[in-house]
Amino acid sequence: MPEYISNQPLAGVIIPAGGIGSRIGHPQPKQFLPLAGLPIIVRTCRAFLELDAICWVVVAAPIDHYQATIDLLYLHLHRQETDRLLFTPGGATRQDSVLAGLNRLPANISLVLVHDAARPLVDRATILRCLEGVVQYGAVIAAVPVQDTLKLVSRVAVIEKTVDRSDLWQAQTPQGARRELLERAFISAARQQFVGTDEASLLEAAGIPVRIVEGSARNLKITRPADLQVAAALLQEEPLMKIGHGFDAHRLVEGRKLILGGVTIPYELGLDGHSDADVVAHALIDALLGALGAGDIGRHFPDTDPQYRGIDSLLLLAQVQQLAEAQQYQLGNADLTIVCQRPRLAPYLSEMQANLSRCCRVSPSAINIKATTTEKMGYTGRGEGIAAHAVVLLRSEYGSK
Ligand code: MG
């Protein structure tokens, strides 16, 4: 579900920020503590406010620090971000705070995520997976498989058995559900006087199936002082931006379709190649791989491999986008130049732009495509082939933005 599609259900996020953080050993609520120069709660809210797909973020703030929470967020966030912020006094328990947040969300919000204030490193890809999961399944929770060996231990600290961890997952947030399901879970919990540790447990108790979606090992919860150091180290680990360049050229031959940027263009010749020979997509793929330091298109999709014979290069582009997301990078913008004497490409550029932006999960305005001739000079000028150049800028999901 790319975030720029407008017909999706409207999504809101609840951030229960009521925890006083006794384990962190600090008189301030832990979400006020700075992490690489910005308060934790600011980073957490910003992670969601950066996505156009999120209409509102409701912060359920502790009553004793209610105005301080509002002041802190208004101090650090931009106007475009605070315009989509709402506040409500939090309750005595997390469950009370989430319910208060749910009641504060405008009525047209039909899809709700809940996220811990103390998980500021949640990345865009995890949030989008949760949103997509709610649309598809109704209720989801981000989780990661348990890595450590687990021991069941008796009261006298003796191991009773080693637990099979193959079915065990560690719950994270966001957790999310269609609004009516979450409301039903709260009503049912109130009726049964059930207090759950998280929203998924309320949904489970109400008999609503909750699906797992892939979380991220970096989406850690800051509970102890050492967690702050780990989170700060993670933020500094990656460069904020990476640049990449790609170039490709293919020969024009008879009996092939001409496909550029995923658009089939009527012409008497087409580009020759193992795949669909879409030079525009190939140049963009090489630029992305270059920025990631991940080699080139030939290394990832060898032209000796029969599975790539005739393949739609947009599928390859989408795979490379997933690779970038897995490394916590998102396309900032791309600039492409197609070098082509004939045919005239101007009428097809906006469709190419739509195709490429969809694959890269960015708004079309992030992708610029130009076409030029070489005034009949060289191989492109003689109409022997078409070439394309691409430059991209990738942005880290982490970094002190
Ligand atoms: Mg190529």
Side-chain angles (χ1 to χ4, degrees), residues 104-158:
R104 185 72 180 89
L105 275 176
N108 63 348
I109 297 294
S110 59
L111 193 159
V112 181
L113 298 184
V114 181
H115 186 70
D116 298 332
R119 289 188 194 269
L121 300 191
V122 63
D123 58 86
R124 173 192 166 100
T126 300
I127 298 169
L128 288 176
R129 277 196 292 274
C130 289
L131 287 175
E132 287 165 359
V134 173
V135 170
Q136 200 172 349
Y137 305 115
V140 300
I141 173 170
V144 288
V146 169
Q147 299 286 351
D148 296 331
T149 299
L150 296 178
K151 305 288 187 188
L152 188 67
V153 178
S154 74
R155 286 202 182 146
V156 288
V158 174

Side-chain angles (χ1 to χ4, degrees), residues 3 8 10-13 45 47-58 84 109 111 113 127-128 131:
E3 57 168 302
Q8 63 191 314
L10 299 180
V13 179
C45 289
F48 291 92
L49 292 166
E50 278 191 338
L51 294 172
D52 295 343
I54 304 295
C55 300
W56 294 106
V57 171
V58 181
R84 284 146 63 217
I109 297 294
L111 193 159
L113 298 184
I127 298 169
L128 288 176
L131 287 175

Side-chain angles (χ1 to χ4, degrees), residues 15-252:
I15 298 182
I20 49 164
S22 50
R23 272 176 289 181
I24 208 116
H26 201 282
Q28 270 191 325
K30 65 182 173 186
Q31 62 269 20
F32 285 13
L33 296 180
L35 168 59
L38 272 185
I40 292 171
I41 183 80
V42 173
R43 289 188 177 278
T44 305
C45 289
R46 179 165 282 170
F48 291 92
L49 292 166
E50 278 191 338
L51 294 172
D52 295 343
I54 304 295
C55 300
W56 294 106
V57 171
V58 181
V59 178
I63 295 172
D64 293 348
H65 300 274
Y66 189 67
Q67 192 56 44
T69 305
I70 297 173
D71 293 346
L72 195 68
L73 286 163
Y74 270 76
L75 178 67
H76 291 283
L77 293 172
H78 307 303
R79 172 77 194 277
Q80 312 88 285
E81 294 171 320
T82 53
D83 280 353
R84 284 146 63 217
L85 264 186
L86 295 169
F87 296 90
T88 187
T93 63
R94 175 194 172 95
Q95 196 165 320
D96 293 339
S97 294
V98 173
L99 183 58
L102 192 56
N103 290 333
R104 185 72 180 89
L105 275 176
N108 63 348
I109 297 294
S110 59
L111 193 159
V112 181
L113 298 184
V114 181
H115 186 70
D116 298 332
R119 289 188 194 269
L121 300 191
V122 63
D123 58 86
R124 173 192 166 100
T126 300
I127 298 169
L128 288 176
R129 277 196 292 274
C130 289
L131 287 175
E132 287 165 359
V134 173
V135 170
Q136 200 172 349
Y137 305 115
V140 300
I141 173 170
V144 288
V146 169
Q147 299 286 351
D148 296 331
T149 299
L150 296 178
K151 305 288 187 188
L152 188 67
V153 178
S154 74
R155 286 202 182 146
V156 288
V158 174
I159 292 173
E160 289 185 349
K161 68 168 186 169
T162 298
V163 179
D164 177 12
R165 67 176 179 212
S166 56
D167 293 332
L168 295 177
W169 290 69
Q170 207 173 321
Q172 300 184 332
T173 63
Q175 310 193 0
R178 286 205 293 269
R179 185 179 192 147
E180 76 271 14
L181 296 179
L182 196 55
E183 285 173 344
R184 203 205 300 166
F186 269 98
I187 291 166
S188 145
R191 201 177 293 140
Q192 296 165 25
Q193 296 189 325
F194 174 78
V195 179
T197 50
D198 62 2
E199 295 63 55
S201 58
L202 298 191
L203 290 154
E204 292 158 33
I208 297 163
V210 182
R211 292 280 289 247
I212 292 283
V213 299
E214 190 192 339
S216 161
R218 298 174 60 132
N219 183 17
L220 61 92
K221 188 170 184 179
I222 296 175
T223 311
R224 300 172 191 84
D227 300 331
L228 262 177
Q229 287 164 20
V230 172
L234 286 171
L235 279 169
Q236 274 150 24
E237 196 174 76
E238 291 287 332
L240 294 183
M241 287 182 276
K242 289 182 166 188
I243 191 166
H245 168 258
F247 171 78
D248 195 25
H250 282 253
R251 191 179 288 278
L252 279 164

Side-chain angles (χ1 to χ4, degrees), residues 248-250 275 277-279 282 297:
D248 195 25
H250 282 253
S275 64
D278 184 337
V279 279
H282 291 185
I297 189 169

